[in-house]
Amino acid sequence: MPVAAWRQPYPDSRRDRLMTFLVPSLLTIALAAAGGGVATLLGLPAGWIMGGALVVSVAAMAGVPVAMPNRLRDVVFVLIGMSMGASVAPDSLSLLPSWPASLAGLVLELVLIIGLTGWMLQRRFGLDRGTAYLSSFPGHLSFVMAIASAGVGDARQIAIIQVIRILMLTVAVPIGAMFLPVAEFTPAADFGTLGVLELLMLAAGCVVVGLVFVRLKVPAGLVLGAMAASTAAKLAGLYTAAIPEPLAIITFVLTGALIGSRFAGITRREFMAAAKGGVIATLMTLVIVTAVAWGVSLVVSIPFAQIWIGLAPGALEGMGALGIALGYDTAFIAAHHVVRLMLLTFAIPLVVALIQRRETATIGRDD
């Protein structure tokens, strides 16, 4: 039924307002769930997010009325921040001394990727600082998009560039594992899932700290506050279990819906410009990873390909499977991806704070 049809019988009624608010929201979530489910069945990485985001974004650009209400968006922000902290391995910090040369290479790689691709997107494509640098982060798509949706940068351009990055990585690198006899890649030790009471207590803490961050005018306060509370509690040993899988899937579906809904009203020209930036940024990222992996291989007795897989900017599941197929040390690969995500967890808020500080200083000089 067209949107206009809802308004004909009761143009100013509460029912009309409810339908205008409710139907697009439910439609958006349903599209995201369907797209995420299909992508997951096809074995695509980050399927629940990527599939949902792609389906909703295509629907939005086709003129389908998609929307995510602000209150639901805030719930998604808290869920993303809470999930981010809960995904940090309790022993993450102890992994740092295990492979000093390659981990130093990982840090250098992240600095180069974020710095150079962010600079390129800002200079070559004229993106503002927030959009350019949030587009350059090699990982944590849901976290990046939550921050963008909270008002840092242009969420639509960031979504296009990040989706291009993931699609190129998916096609260009892990596809090799499909032609090899690979075993299932198993992540680190399973600490179980949080019970209802623990989950409610953690959520309450995340909401409280998120609201404090909002009150302090921290950019994307709900997301960063929830992430800070959840991460601090995890590293302090207050809990070790993970978010229950159904809640994680709900979070991913809602994140996909949120990302896709940002494509409403986007023009073809805007899409193509951002997509071009995404291709160039991804190629730059692959060159940087290759150069750093080659440099590390000169100082350690580890195969170049194993180092490259460990330093790859995303696709943990595919990289793990490829490492198993090639007979490499999967502990090395998993540890480097865990550390990459942990470093990004702290780097993203830091970079956002620096961007906000620079923008505030620029406005002050203009005044």
Side-chain angles (χ1 to χ4, degrees):
M1 184 189 307
V3 176
W6 307 338
R7 298 175 180 161
Q8 290 173 0
Y10 311 101
D12 298 314
S13 69
R14 180 179 299 179
R15 175 183 177 275
D16 177 64
R17 292 195 297 271
L18 178 63
M19 292 295 286
T20 303
F21 163 84
L22 188 60
V23 173
S25 302
L26 292 177
L27 176 61
T28 303
I29 295 170
L31 288 171
V38 171
T40 300
L41 288 175
L42 293 175
L44 299 179
W48 286 110
I49 297 177
M50 287 293 300
L54 287 172
V55 169
V56 175
S57 61
V58 170
M61 288 189 288
V64 175
V66 298
M68 283 287 281
N70 290 339
R71 293 299 180 190
L72 182 56
R73 182 201 64 183
D74 290 344
V75 171
V76 177
F77 290 166
V78 173
L79 287 174
I80 291 170
M82 185 169 69
S83 300
M84 285 291 303
S87 67
V88 173
D91 59 347
S92 292
L93 298 178
S94 66
L95 295 173
L96 295 178
S98 303
W99 294 280
S102 55
L103 288 172
L106 177 62
V107 173
L108 174 63
E109 165 192 295
L110 292 177
V111 171
L112 291 174
I113 289 172
I114 296 167
L116 294 179
T117 59
W119 177 86
M120 181 276 297
L121 289 169
Q122 188 178 359
R123 295 289 183 175
R124 174 67 178 81
F125 292 92
L127 303 183
D128 61 88
R129 287 192 187 94
T131 303
Y133 286 96
L134 281 178
S135 298
S136 70
F137 284 109
H140 278 333
L141 174 64
S142 60
F143 191 35
V144 167
M145 288 311 307
I147 293 175
S149 298
V152 180
D154 185 329
R156 296 191 299 190
Q157 290 183 318
I158 294 169
I160 295 169
I161 294 170
Q162 287 283 4
V163 167
I164 292 293
R165 176 185 67 85
I166 293 175
L167 289 176
M168 286 184 66
L169 284 175
T170 302
V171 172
V173 184
I175 197 170
M178 295 173 57
F179 302 99
L180 296 169
V182 256
E184 182 72 22
F185 179 66
T186 52
D190 182 9
F191 292 95
T193 56
L194 290 166
V196 175
L197 181 59
E198 293 175 307
L199 197 58
L200 289 175
M201 292 174 64
L202 178 61
C206 289
V207 170
V208 169
V209 177
L211 291 175
V212 170
F213 275 39
V214 171
R215 187 68 180 269
L216 295 174
K217 301 188 184 303
V218 175
L222 277 177
V223 186
L224 297 183
M227 186 274 293
S230 185
T231 301
K234 188 70 172 283
L235 294 179
L238 298 182
Y239 73 100
T240 57
I243 297 293
E245 186 175 1
L247 181 58
I249 291 174
I250 290 171
T251 302
F252 295 152
V253 169
L254 292 176
T255 302
L258 181 62
I259 294 171
S261 66
R262 295 294 176 177
F263 283 78
I266 194 171
T267 64
R268 181 178 178 183
R269 182 177 180 181
E270 184 181 3
F271 178 84
M272 293 306 296
K276 184 178 179 181
V279 170
I280 296 174
T282 304
L283 292 175
M284 286 179 63
T285 296
L286 294 175
V287 170
I288 290 169
V289 171
T290 302
V292 172
W294 177 77
V296 172
S297 71
L298 298 179
V299 297
V300 297
S301 299
I302 298 175
F304 167 78
Q306 177 176 311
I307 298 171
W308 200 100
I309 293 172
L311 299 184
L316 169 59
E317 296 84 357
M319 296 302 168
L322 192 57
I324 292 172
L326 297 175
Y328 292 141
D329 182 358
T330 53
F332 174 94
I333 295 169
H336 283 70
H337 280 273
V338 167
V339 172
R340 173 178 61 86
L341 295 175
M342 183 190 70
L343 292 174
L344 287 175
T345 299
F346 295 102
I348 293 171
L350 176 61
V351 171
V352 169
L354 291 174
I355 290 170
Q356 292 291 314
R357 187 174 179 181
R358 286 283 299 275
E359 290 180 349
T360 301
T362 301
I363 294 172
R365 286 196 300 269
D366 292 342
D367 292 342

